[in-house]
Amino acid sequence: MPFVEKFLGRGVNIPEDRRYYAKKGLWAKPEGQEILFGLTEPFLVLAGGLDELDWLCEDGQPVEKDEAVIFAITGKIQYIEAPVPGIVFLNAPLRRNPGVVGRDPYGAGWLFKMKARTDARQALAASVDAHGYLESLRGSEGFKNPEGLKGGVSGICKAVYSGIREQKIS
């Protein structure tokens, strides 16, 4: 399993037994005729964690590819979309306890599962393996700022943080 020791100040796992939708920050794991989906550790670190979840569809509802199924509040508002068309089944306990996603993103923190309209392997054709996902993260803030320094690596952010520190408020 790829493990990144320093990713925005934290260690993150990228399990090899899953597929990844890099731009969406989702992992996918086929289980028989269904596919489990959840948020990756790197996505959660970059998003600043997860505060709230709300369902945008009903359990057992058919959805189209790229249709928003979950509304999430992280460091900003996120719409989590179905990467494949099919019937969606939501992880109901997360509605009461969204913190499980941050504590166990690759286990009990899965978001939804889908019965895809096509074969699971065909449905996952647009995803990448763990090493492909790791490569997609190379240019991210997580790798550019491995120590997780305030203000990151952006010149503008550094200037703002430096300016705030130097202000004298009376």
Side-chain angles (χ1 to χ4, degrees):
M1 166 186 322
F3 177 76
V4 180
E5 189 173 327
K6 291 185 177 185
F7 186 85
L8 202 59
R10 295 207 22 220
V12 294
N13 288 303
I14 304 171
E16 291 188 57
D17 66 342
R18 289 145 215 268
R19 304 289 299 174
Y20 296 88
Y21 292 88
K23 290 185 180 184
K24 296 177 186 269
L26 287 175
W27 58 260
K29 183 178 181 187
E31 290 195 340
Q33 298 298 316
E34 297 175 330
I35 305 168
L36 282 178
F37 293 96
L39 295 172
T40 68
E41 278 188 345
F43 173 86
L44 290 165
V45 169
L46 290 170
L50 178 71
D51 297 320
E52 284 184 52
L53 290 172
D54 199 9
W55 311 145
L56 299 175
C57 62
E58 298 294 320
D59 202 47
Q61 177 181 327
V63 296
E64 297 301 319
K65 179 181 184 230
D66 297 328
E67 183 175 337
V69 295
I70 295 176
F71 173 78
I73 298 177
T74 63
K76 54 186 171 182
I77 292 172
Q78 305 277 342
Y79 288 93
I80 299 167
E81 302 168 341
V84 298
I87 299 172
V88 68
F89 300 94
L90 303 157
N91 187 352
L94 293 184
R95 190 173 234 168
R96 291 181 309 281
N97 192 4
V100 172
V101 175
R103 289 189 302 275
D104 190 12
Y106 300 115
W110 60 272
L111 298 175
F112 58 94
K113 61 183 169 181
M114 293 191 67
K115 184 167 177 50
R117 288 195 191 130
T118 59
D119 173 74
R121 270 183 265 168
Q122 184 182 1
L124 297 173
S127 63
V128 296
D129 66 9
H131 296 284
Y133 181 50
L134 181 62
E135 280 305 307
S136 76
L137 294 169
R138 293 273 179 218
S140 74
E141 183 71 12
F143 274 103
K144 290 179 182 176
N145 185 4
E147 302 297 330
L149 302 173
K150 293 236 187 257
V153 293
S154 157
I156 293 171
C157 288
K158 284 181 180 177
V160 169
Y161 276 101
S162 297
I164 289 170
R165 191 175 329 121
E166 294 171 8
Q167 286 182 353
K168 304 254 189 277
I169 301 174
S170 14

